[in-house]
Amino acid sequence: MSTTRRVLTALAATALLSVGAAALAAPAQADVHANVLGGVVTANTNGTNGTIDVALVGQTILSLPNLLGL
């Protein structure tokens, strides 16, 4: 495995674990806003509509239902 792939894998795992921890730690109606790398990657949970949104440089790339917050 190349060094670049290892770094990208570690970065992706860190981002996913951070978002998962924030979603689990938040009460059902709380909003969570997590920034990685100074806002390059952001993750937001919305207690109103029950979604987890992941954005890369301001563009939403993933929107999932937050099953734990419903």
Side-chain angles (χ1 to χ4, degrees), residues 1-15:
M1 191 185 300
S2 69
T3 303
T4 304
R5 187 170 176 185
R6 287 181 182 158
V7 169
L8 291 175
T9 302
L11 180 62
T14 301

Side-chain angles (χ1 to χ4, degrees), residues 1-69:
M1 191 185 300
S2 69
T3 303
T4 304
R5 187 170 176 185
R6 287 181 182 158
V7 169
L8 291 175
T9 302
L11 180 62
T14 301
L16 290 173
L17 289 171
S18 297
V19 170
L24 287 173
Q29 294 300 317
D31 292 338
V32 174
H33 305 287
N35 296 317
V36 179
L37 298 174
V40 174
V41 178
T42 60
N44 298 309
T45 62
N46 188 338
T48 305
N49 64 6
T51 61
I52 298 173
D53 299 320
V54 179
L56 180 64
V57 193
Q59 297 293 320
T60 302
I61 58 172
L62 184 64
S63 183
L64 300 170
N66 183 2
L67 300 176
L68 297 174

